[in-house]
Amino acid sequence: MNHSPSFVIRSWKFILALWLIAAVTFGFFAAKLPSKLEGDGFRTDGDYETVQKELHDTFDFPENTLLVLFEKNESESENAFRSKIESTLTSIDGSVSPSAIDSPIENSDWMEADIAYAAVHFEDESIAMDPVIENVRSIIDQKDGISLTGGPVISKDINKASQDDLKRAELIGLPVALIVLLLALGSVVASVLPLIVGGVTIVIGFGILSFIADSVDLAIFILNIAPMLGLALSIDFSLLFINRYKEERANGRTIDEALQITQSKSGHSILFSALCVFIGLGSVLLIDIDIFKNVAIGGMTVIAIAVIASMTLLPAMLKLLGDRVDKWQILRPNPDASNRWRTFAGFVMKRPVLIALLALVILGAGIIPVKNMNLAIPAADSLPKTFESRTAYDKIEEAFMQDAASTVYAVAERKDGWLNEEGLAVIKDLQGEFEQEKAVSEAETLFSISGQTDPAKLAALLENPQSSAQLQPVIDGLIKEDQLLLPISLNVEADSDAAQTLVRNWSTVDWPVDIAFGGQPKFNQELYDEIFNKVIPVLSVILISTFFILMIAFRSILIPLKAILMNVISLGATFGVLVWLFQGGHFGMEPADISLILPVLVFSLVFGLSMDYEVFLISRIREYYLETRDNTYATVEGLASTSKIITSAALIMIVITGAFAFTGVVPVKQIGIGIAVAIAIDATIVRLLLVPSLMKLLGTANWWMPFKRSPEKSSLK
C-alpha cells in the first residue's frame, strides 16, 4: 500500500484549528435552535391545510386557541365559582387582548356542577403565543382550581419536555457510554476522544439546523432525534476507528502508518455504513409529512458531520496525542478475550443448522405481537401526566368531549353565489347527500337552522328584509360571497376507519361544485394515506440501494441478500416487542398506542444503523478471506477480532438511545426504545448466531459474484 501520509495526517494542525473555529462559530447559533422549533411536525400539504386556511381567512376561525379549565373547590359556593370564572376571564381579556372569549357562563354546555372551561381565541397568526401563555399563566397562578391547556400550550410544554429529556438522556447515557468506552479501549484519554467527536458533531449539527430552521419548519422532536443519532453514530465510528488504530500500533506500525491503514480500512467501513444510514434516512423524504422531513434533515445533517469528524478531526487528535492516547490506562489488553470469542464462533459454526433454526424461532416468536399493533397520531397524550396542560386537557376531554361528534368542514365554491334559489337548491342537495351517510348525524346549513326545506321558500325569506335580518348572523357564519361552509357532524370518532373512509370517498366524488374537506377526520386520513401510500417506495429505495451498496463493498451477491433478509426479520421482532411493551403497558409503561411515525422511522433508522455492524464485521471477515481463501477460518477470525468492539459499539448505541426510555415525550420514548431493542437483537441473535451459522452453511458461495474476473488480492500488508 502507499505509505505516504494523507492530507489529514500532513495537515493535522490546520484540521484541528478548523474544527475548533467551526465548533465555536456554530455553537453560537446552536443555542438559538430551540426557540426556532414549533409544532409536532404532523403536517402535510393537502385539502386539510387548504380548508384550514380558508376557515381562518374567510370564516374567521381563530388561528390559536387557549383552553382555561376551572375546577370548583369543595368549600366554594356556586356563586363564588361563577364569580371566579368571570373575574379570571376579564383579567385575561384585559391582559392579552384576545379576538374572542367563549365563556362557560354564556354556554351552559361548557359547565357542569364542579367543572367548566373557557376558550380564549386569537385570530392574528402573527401573534407570538409564548408571551401570551406566560401572561395568562401569571394570572391563573394566583388563583386555586384554574389551569391552562390547548394546542399552543401543549406545543410549548412539549418543547420544554424535549429539552429536559435531552439533558436527562445525556446525564444517563454519556456516563454509561464512557464506562463502556473505558472497557473497550482501556485508557481514559482514548475513551474521551469519541465523546469529544460526538459533542462537536452535535454542536455543529445544531448550528447548521438553526440556519435551516430559518427557511424550513422544524418540529420540536428534532431536539431529541438529532442528538440521539449524532452521538450514537459519532461514538460508534470513533470507537471502531480508535480500536483499529490501536491494533495497528500494537503490530509495530508507526503513528502515521497506523493512521494511514486505519483511514483506509476502518474509513472504508465507516463510509459504507454511513451511506446505508444516510440512504435509510433520505428515503423518508419521499413521505410528504413534516415530521419525516425533519427527522431526515436532522439525521442526515448530524450523520454527515459525524463521518467527516471521524475521518478528519479524530485522526488529527490521534496525531496530536501520539502514544499519549494510552495515557491513564485502566485496563490492559486481554489476549484471552479474542480466544473466548474464537471459541464461541467455533461452537456456533459446528452446529450451523441448529443455531440458525433456534435464532429464527426466537425472532419469529418476537414477530407475533405485530398483528395487534394499533397506530395513532400523537396528541396531548405525548406529554407525561406531570404537565398541567396534559392533565387539564384530559379532564376537559373526559367531562365535555366524551360524546362530542367529530366534525368535517366542507368548503364549497360557486361562482354565481349561494343566496339565490339555484344556489340554495345546491346547498339542499349537498345536505341530502351528506346526511344519507350512516356516519353523519347532521350537516349544518341554512335549511337545518331555519327549519325550511324548500329552496324557493327560503329564497323568498331572504328577500324579505325582516326575516333576512334574523338569518343574517347564520349567513355570516356559513356564507361569504362565493364560499360556503358546511360543518358536517359525524357520529364516529375522528380517528376511526369509518371517518377516514368517509372523507376519502367524498374527496373522490364529482360534486356539482368545487368542494374541499377539512377537519380532524380529513387531517387523520391524509396523514395515514400519505404514510401507507409511500411505504412501498420508501422500503424499495432502502432495500435496493442497500443491496447495491453492500454488493459493491463486499463483491458478493449472497451477503447483501442475507444481510437484508436478517434485518427485515429482526426489525419485525423489534416491532413485536414494542407492541408488547407499550400497548401492553409492561415494565411500568403507561399503556399507549404505537405512534403512527414509529414503524417507518425505526425501520429507516435501524436498517441503516444495524448495517454498521454488518459492514464492520463482514469487512474484517473479507480481509481474512482474501488473505487465506478459507471461509470458515475467515469467519471465525473476523468474529474473534471484531466481536468485542462491535459489542461495545452496539452497547453504546443501546445506552444512548435507550436512555430516552426515561424521557416523558411518548413518541421520542418509543423511537429511542425501538432503536435500542432493534440494536440489541441485531448485536446478539443476528450478529452472534445467525451471521456465523449462515456464513458456515453457505461456504464459498458467500463470495460468489458474477463476472468476477480473477481472485482479489489481499491488501493487508
Side-chain angles (χ1 to χ4, degrees), residues 1-4 253 257 260-262 264-265 715-717:
M1 66 175 283
N2 181 10
H3 290 284
S4 60
R253 311 283 189 183
E257 287 174 344
Q260 189 81 345
I261 293 172
T262 303
S264 173
K265 298 299 181 183
S715 58
L716 285 175
K717 299 294 183 185

Side-chain angles (χ1 to χ4, degrees), residues 19 174 181 191-205 226-242 270 274 299 301-311 313-314 317 609 612-613 616 649 652-653 656:
W19 277 102
L174 290 180
L181 286 168
S191 302
V192 169
L193 293 182
L195 298 180
I196 294 174
V197 173
V200 170
T201 296
I202 299 309
V203 168
I204 295 178
M228 184 194 301
L229 293 176
L231 276 174
L233 282 168
S234 297
I235 293 174
D236 266 13
F237 291 161
S238 301
L239 172 60
L240 292 155
F241 192 100
I242 295 170
I270 288 170
T301 299
V302 294
I303 288 168
I305 299 167
V307 172
I308 297 170
S310 300
M311 299 296 291
L313 174 61
L314 183 57
M317 289 193 295
L609 292 173
D612 273 0
Y613 310 120
F616 295 136
I652 288 170
M653 182 78 73
I656 290 177

Side-chain angles (χ1 to χ4, degrees), residues 583-596:
Q583 290 184 195
H586 294 97
F587 289 106
M589 297 288 182
E590 180 185 345
D593 289 337
I594 301 300
S595 174
L596 179 63

Side-chain angles (χ1 to χ4, degrees), residues 78-398:
E78 182 177 344
N79 286 337
F81 183 49
R82 296 174 72 90
S83 176
K84 179 172 71 175
I85 294 172
E86 289 178 332
S87 64
T88 302
L89 295 180
T90 299
S91 298
I92 291 173
D93 191 19
S95 176
V96 296
S97 302
S99 56
I101 295 180
D102 291 330
S103 169
I105 303 298
E106 300 164 358
N107 188 342
S108 59
D109 291 338
W110 290 15
M111 177 182 283
E112 293 187 356
D114 57 357
I115 189 172
Y117 80 101
V120 183
H121 303 297
F122 299 86
E123 289 184 5
D124 188 352
E125 59 184 335
S126 66
I127 293 177
M129 292 305 298
D130 280 3
V132 170
I133 292 169
E134 292 306 315
N135 284 341
V136 174
R137 277 179 168 161
S138 68
I139 293 170
I140 66 175
D141 284 347
Q142 301 171 17
K143 304 180 181 182
D144 293 331
I146 307 177
S147 47
L148 185 65
T149 185
V153 185
I154 291 170
S155 179
K156 179 179 172 64
D157 284 348
I158 288 178
N159 193 320
K160 182 181 185 302
S162 296
Q163 294 182 61
D164 292 344
D165 288 349
L166 178 58
K167 295 173 185 174
R168 189 180 302 113
E170 288 173 346
L171 288 173
I172 296 169
L174 290 180
V176 180
L178 180 58
I179 293 171
V180 176
L181 286 168
L182 283 169
L183 294 173
L185 298 176
S187 73
V188 173
V189 173
S191 302
V192 169
L193 293 182
L195 298 180
I196 294 174
V197 173
V200 170
T201 296
I202 299 309
V203 168
I204 295 178
F206 270 21
I208 293 173
L209 289 172
S210 182
F211 283 111
I212 294 174
D214 291 332
S215 54
V216 177
D217 291 334
L218 294 182
I220 293 164
F221 296 137
I222 206 168
L223 279 180
N224 302 112
I225 302 299
M228 184 194 301
L229 293 176
L231 276 174
L233 282 168
S234 297
I235 293 174
D236 266 13
F237 291 161
S238 301
L239 172 60
L240 292 155
F241 192 100
I242 295 170
N243 181 71
R244 183 60 183 262
Y245 168 77
K246 287 166 70 72
E247 280 185 22
E248 296 301 331
R249 288 289 286 142
N251 290 334
R253 311 283 189 183
T254 66
I255 291 174
D256 286 1
E257 287 174 344
L259 285 173
Q260 189 81 345
I261 293 172
T262 303
Q263 282 183 308
S264 173
K265 298 299 181 183
S266 292
H268 174 273
S269 300
I270 288 170
L271 287 174
F272 274 103
S273 60
L275 189 57
C276 289
V277 183
F278 206 81
I279 289 175
L281 279 169
S283 66
V284 301
L285 288 171
L286 295 173
I287 302 176
D288 188 21
I289 297 176
D290 284 358
I291 184 66
F292 288 99
K293 294 178 180 179
N294 285 186
V295 171
I297 291 170
M300 292 167 77
T301 299
V302 294
I303 288 168
I305 299 167
V307 172
I308 297 170
S310 300
M311 299 296 291
T312 58
L313 174 61
L314 183 57
M317 289 193 295
L318 289 171
K319 175 69 175 175
L320 170 68
L321 291 169
D323 290 331
R324 287 172 296 179
V325 73
D326 291 322
K327 194 173 181 180
W328 299 328
Q329 193 163 43
I330 294 175
L331 297 173
R332 297 285 177 187
N334 182 6
D336 292 335
S338 293
N339 290 332
R340 285 195 292 269
W341 285 111
R342 193 173 286 109
T343 301
F344 176 79
F347 171 82
V348 172
M349 296 183 72
K350 286 178 182 177
R351 304 162 182 82
V353 175
L354 177 64
I355 296 294
L357 287 175
L358 176 64
L360 290 172
V361 167
I362 294 171
L363 293 174
I367 293 174
I368 293 173
V370 172
K371 68 180 187 298
N372 300 319
M373 182 184 288
N374 296 322
L375 298 175
I377 298 171
D381 55 0
S382 294
L383 277 172
K385 291 184 176 180
T386 53
F387 278 80
E388 177 186 88
S389 58
R390 161 76 190 273
T391 54
Y393 187 86
D394 287 347
K395 289 176 181 177
I396 292 173
E397 188 175 47
E398 183 179 353

Side-chain angles (χ1 to χ4, degrees), residues 435-513:
E435 290 183 342
Q436 72 178 1
E437 299 286 349
K438 291 182 179 180
V440 174
S441 54
E442 181 190 25
E444 185 179 326
T445 67
L446 283 173
F447 292 96
S448 63
I449 295 173
S450 67
Q452 288 292 331
T453 58
D454 186 345
K457 291 182 179 179
L458 183 55
L461 281 176
L462 293 177
E463 290 178 0
N464 182 296
Q466 185 175 357
S467 56
S468 177
Q470 292 176 345
L471 288 173
Q472 194 59 46
V474 178
I475 295 171
D476 290 341
L478 298 179
I479 298 173
K480 295 289 177 72
E481 297 180 356
D482 58 351
Q483 300 289 331
L484 167 72
L485 173 61
L486 268 164
I488 306 166
S489 298
L490 307 184
N491 52 37
V492 294
E493 293 183 1
D495 59 354
S496 65
D497 289 340
Q500 292 183 42
T501 300
L502 188 63
V503 292
R504 185 184 298 113
N505 291 341
W506 280 346
S507 296
T508 62
V509 171
D510 185 16
W511 300 102
V513 289

